[in-house]
Amino acid sequence: MRVVIAGAGSVGRSIARELLAHDHEVTLVDRQPSAMRIAQVAEAEWLLADACELPTLRQVRADECDVMVAATGDDKANLVISLLAKTEFGVPRTVARVNNPKNEWMFDGAWGVDVAVSTPRIMTAMVEEAVAVGDLVRIFTFHQSKADILELTLPEDSPLAGVRVGQITWPADTVLAAIVRDTRPLAPSADDTLEGRDELLIVTGADADEEALERLLTRGPASS
């Protein structure tokens, strides 16, 4: 896979190292001479230029790349890079870094963004996931489909503790994807029984009722 990463700061270099370790071809682009720390990611191709400009994207052969990663510290630049990559060069997949969570609403298909990654939001989710029991925590949102990955640690007094997965009527557009029990991930089957302190990973569609899901997991099925 050929990947162009715009932004050679600590985030861009970290992404590049991970991709190179998995045998992908990586080009790093940055307009700041101070970012040209080539020795830190020597296996990558490097270019000192502004990725917001069309000649730069032509120079890195954006039309031949599989993924464009806009990882600069400037949200405006990341949006422009994504839009140019998608509309001018037909890049199949664009991934954009969101620096300010207030700008998240702009990072969608209208700006050519396939996947938006908000580091502050992810860190917040990780903090909430570490301390919360009985609360739904949004781990990740797929910006193209609007589906969410949610996490909930089942309270020990939940009415669903001891209930088989196949006996549970889940809200519409909701799928139990995995159960993590004592650090061990389980692929849930209809015969598996939920236990208190299970960490549930749930995928929901854009129209799913998250309040109903949380009520089900913490209070049990509504009385008929």
Side-chain angles (χ1 to χ4, degrees), residues 165 168 170 174-179 188-189 194 199-203:
V165 172
I168 301 170
W170 299 94
T174 300
V175 175
L176 177 63
I179 301 170
S189 70
L194 297 183
E199 186 176 354
L200 308 180
L201 296 179
I202 301 161
V203 180

Side-chain angles (χ1 to χ4, degrees), residues 89-153:
F89 297 93
V91 176
R93 192 76 166 168
T94 57
V95 179
R97 172 188 177 188
V98 184
N99 297 277
N100 186 342
K102 292 182 180 179
N103 296 330
E104 242 183 298
W105 64 274
M106 292 187 290
F107 283 71
D108 59 15
W111 277 95
V113 178
D114 292 319
V115 178
V117 181
S118 172
T119 302
R121 182 174 293 279
I122 290 173
M123 292 181 69
T124 300
M126 293 301 103
V127 171
E128 291 178 335
E129 184 271 334
V131 300
V133 175
D135 292 328
L136 276 177
V137 177
R138 180 173 286 101
I139 301 297
F140 191 78
T141 298
F142 296 93
H143 281 253
Q144 198 164 13
S145 65
K146 303 302 181 185
D148 291 314
I149 297 178
L150 308 175
E151 184 273 346
L152 182 140
T153 300

